Structure formats: C-alpha cells, structure tokens
Amino acid sequence: MSDDMDTELRNHPISGEPLPVATPAATMVIFRENPDGGAPLLLMVERIKAMAFAGGAAVFPGGKVDPADFDYAEMLHAPLPLDEAAARLAAIRETIEEAGLALGLSGVSDAANCIQAREALHSGESLQAVCNRFGWEPEFEQLVPWSRWRPPAFERASRVFDTRFYLVNAGNTTPLATVDQTENRMLFWATAGDVLEKAGRGEVKIIFPTRRNLERLAMFGDFDAAAAHAAEHPVSTVLTYVDKREDGSWLCIPDGHGYPVIEESLDSAMRG
C-alpha cells in the first residue's frame, strides 16, 4: 500500500528543496510466461517522439489518474484508500487505451469487447461507463503494488508525476496487445534483461525510473517471486535527488526500496 504521509510531503527529506505539485499517475507492469522458458516477458510501449513526457522512450503502459477514476473509486467503496483505488483504476484504463488489453477486470471474455472499450475510452467515455456496458468489474487485488516514484524538484513542474507501479500477471496466455498509434508508436514483449540490453545497444531509450525498475524486475524468474519481493518492501514514495560529487552529479534514489542499483550519472540518465 502507499504511505499516506507521502501525500503530505512539502519538502524533499534529503535535499530540503520544496517539492513541486505532482500529478497522480499509474503504471501497469504486465507479466506473462515466456513460451521459450526463462524469465517472464514484460509489455513495453514506445512513446512517440513528440510526446512532452518520455518522448521516444520505452515505458510500461500507464498515464494520469483522471477525476473520473476518483469518482468510480468512490462509487465502488473499495477497501482501499480513495487515491489508491483511483490509481489502480487508472492503470486498468490506461492499459486498455494504450495496449488494448483489459486486465485487472473480471468478466472479460470477448476480445471484440476490448476493441470497443478502447474506442469508447478514446472517445471520452469513462472506465465506469465501459465496465457497466460490458459487465466488467474491477478486481483490485489483481494489481500488486510495486513502487511509487516522484521526481526531484528540479524537473519542470508541467512534467512532475507521482506515479504508482503495479504488477499484473497475465499467466501463460498470449494477450493480443496492439499499439494505439496516438501516444505510442510500437510495443513489444521482452524480458527485463532483454530491454536493458536493447537500451545498452541504443536500440531503445529508457528513462531513469524505467531503468531502475527493469533492473529490479530482472532479479526474478517469475511473477510470484516478484510479488513476494514486493510484499517484503511495502511501497513508500521513491524520492529521487541529485548528489553532487567530485566526479560529477549523480541522480540517486534512497536505499531500502528494493532496488539493486540506486544511482546513475546525471550525464547519462535519461529523464522525462
């Protein structure tokens, strides 16, 4: 679960800098079993270069939490804090919009409904209206809280997001993900290690939070191991900061959040 104190932070606990107002957002890290064996496959979407945030980068599906997500969460009376329930609904909604996959929902049986649901969401309908139409119900427990990230104060205020990451298990299915061609230009399934290798070869770009999360995800051979690790590291906000040293400036995160790598040279780190 998220730490309620996180929403009350006004200054960075390490640098002391004022924290800019952040837009709530949510991201879904989708696992599926690798048909070739080995590490699980994760869904990545590559954003079009013109996007203001993470343009041209490979990211997990996700986006901003809308007011309608809060309204739906309040109506559902979920046994979760309102902001947590709204974030999980946003992750579900954004994954339908961006990848055409309806995950974290019960009652989804017809792929054609996913196509229609995506069209409806793109035309401005709410997730609540879509679920009512197709008889779907959110299953909050399918989304495993993984992390929550907020950038440092030096980032441009227009691009500061307070993003919650959730793990979702698609099991041994082969979900038919399709790119939306609006915010994203392509998508692909790959292991966390493969994405990191692609980034190392310059085949894809990944921003600092995505790189750190891929490094952490690469430690696990299946969904259950990653979920167990998440349970051992209850979510609290990862507040990045800059450490100025003799060898230059480093973009860092505090230790204790479960990440194997907690720093990168500011010169090489790709930010949103």
Side-chain angles (χ1 to χ4, degrees), residues 150-246:
R150 182 168 175 165
F154 65 73
E155 300 288 6
R156 285 191 289 173
S158 62
R159 296 201 319 229
V160 175
F161 294 97
D162 177 2
T163 305
R164 305 180 200 220
F165 292 73
Y166 300 98
L167 309 183
V168 173
N169 187 16
N172 62 359
T173 63
T174 306
L176 183 60
T178 55
V179 72
D180 67 0
Q181 298 292 352
T182 55
E183 295 183 2
N184 308 303
R185 74 177 192 90
M186 66 170 288
L187 53 76
F188 60 94
W189 292 93
T191 69
D194 285 344
V195 181
L196 290 168
E197 289 180 6
K198 286 176 180 288
R201 295 191 297 265
E203 296 173 10
V204 297
K205 297 178 180 179
I206 49 177
I207 59 176
F208 182 81
T210 305
R211 182 180 292 276
R212 301 288 81 85
N213 277 293
L214 286 167
E215 291 161 347
R216 184 180 172 195
L217 290 161
M219 298 192 298
F220 309 106
D222 56 36
F223 177 85
D224 289 342
H229 174 79
E232 294 168 359
H233 296 81
V235 174
S236 60
T237 301
V238 178
L239 288 160
T240 50
Y241 65 96
V242 174
D243 187 13
K244 296 181 179 180
R245 309 171 185 171
E246 291 184 359

Side-chain angles (χ1 to χ4, degrees), residues 4 6 12 42 78 91-92 103-104 130 149 153 160 183 187 192 211 214 233 241:
D4 289 340
D6 291 335
H12 198 294
L42 309 175
I92 292 169
L103 300 171
V130 167
W149 279 68
V160 175
E183 295 183 2
L187 53 76
R211 182 180 292 276
L214 286 167
H233 296 81
Y241 65 96

Side-chain angles (χ1 to χ4, degrees), residues 42-63:
L42 309 175
L43 181 64
M44 308 295 298
V45 296
E46 187 172 311
R47 294 170 65 78
I48 61 173
K49 293 182 179 179
M51 296 299 295
F53 179 77
V59 298
F60 306 109

Side-chain angles (χ1 to χ4, degrees), residues 96-109:
I96 298 172
E97 292 181 13
E98 294 191 354
L101 297 179
L103 300 171
L105 297 161
S106 65
V108 181
S109 59

Side-chain angles (χ1 to χ4, degrees), residues 139-151:
E139 292 193 344
F140 291 108
E141 67 278 5
Q142 289 191 28
L143 281 70
V144 176
W146 172 251
S147 65
R148 181 176 178 180
W149 279 68
R150 182 168 175 165

